[in-house]
Amino acid sequence: QVQLVESGGGLVQPGGSLRLSCAASGFSFDAYAIGWFRQAPGKEREDLLCISSTSSSVDSARSVQGRFTISRDNAKNTVYLQMNSLKPEDTAVYYCATALRDRCRYGYVYWGQGTQVTVSS
């Protein structure tokens, strides 16, 4: 079955960096766009970045532009979220999800269980 497993979360100091991974299985990974999202306590889910199936295009939320980047390795069925210059307001559970097609902006169908990121001194 389709499975998405996020990893790499944890506690980091403000200004620090983390790299999250999203390992996928159970579907043709290289045929679908993948997105990263986050949800902080008491807040709505926020779209962060999405990468197309071939990495030819990336959508990025303004809130993370210049600090977060997305990449994928289709040979490893893995998508990465590199987060730099982290702020306390980046504290949230981070999720990856499989898009409905090879490009972004068409909705998402399968979701991982999330990984907690806490930014605090």
Side-chain angles (χ1 to χ4, degrees), residues 7 13 20 37 41 87 93:
S7 62
Q13 292 187 343
L20 306 184
F37 308 79
K87 307 174 182 179
V93 178

Side-chain angles (χ1 to χ4, degrees), residues 88-112:
E89 52 264 42
D90 294 319
T91 295
V93 178
Y94 284 70
Y95 301 88
C96 61
T98 303
L100 285 167
R101 55 180 299 174
D102 59 336
R103 288 173 284 169
C104 302
R105 305 184 187 180
Y106 288 92
Y108 297 88
V109 59
Y110 298 111
W111 294 80

Side-chain angles (χ1 to χ4, degrees), residues 1-2 4 7 9-10 27 31 42 44 58 72 77 88 106 111 115 119:
Q1 74 273 20
V2 174
L4 297 170
S7 62
F27 66 103
E44 294 187 353
V58 170
R72 66 190 292 162
N77 284 10
Y106 288 92
W111 294 80
T115 185
V119 184

Side-chain angles (χ1 to χ4, degrees), residues 42-104:
K43 295 188 176 181
E44 294 187 353
R45 189 184 70 206
E46 179 183 9
D47 294 19
L48 297 178
L49 299 106
C50 175
I51 187 167
S52 65
S53 62
T54 61
S55 303
S56 60
S57 66
V58 170
D59 287 355
S60 177
R62 288 185 179 181
S63 61
V64 299
Q65 283 181 354
R67 297 192 301 126
F68 291 11
T69 57
I70 189 172
S71 61
R72 66 190 292 162
D73 185 340
N74 285 349
K76 296 182 178 180
N77 284 10
T78 301
V79 174
Y80 304 99
L81 178 65
Q82 177 66 44
M83 305 186 294
N84 299 325
S85 303
L86 284 162
K87 307 174 182 179
E89 52 264 42
D90 294 319
T91 295
V93 178
Y94 284 70
Y95 301 88
C96 61
T98 303
L100 285 167
R101 55 180 299 174
D102 59 336
R103 288 173 284 169
C104 302

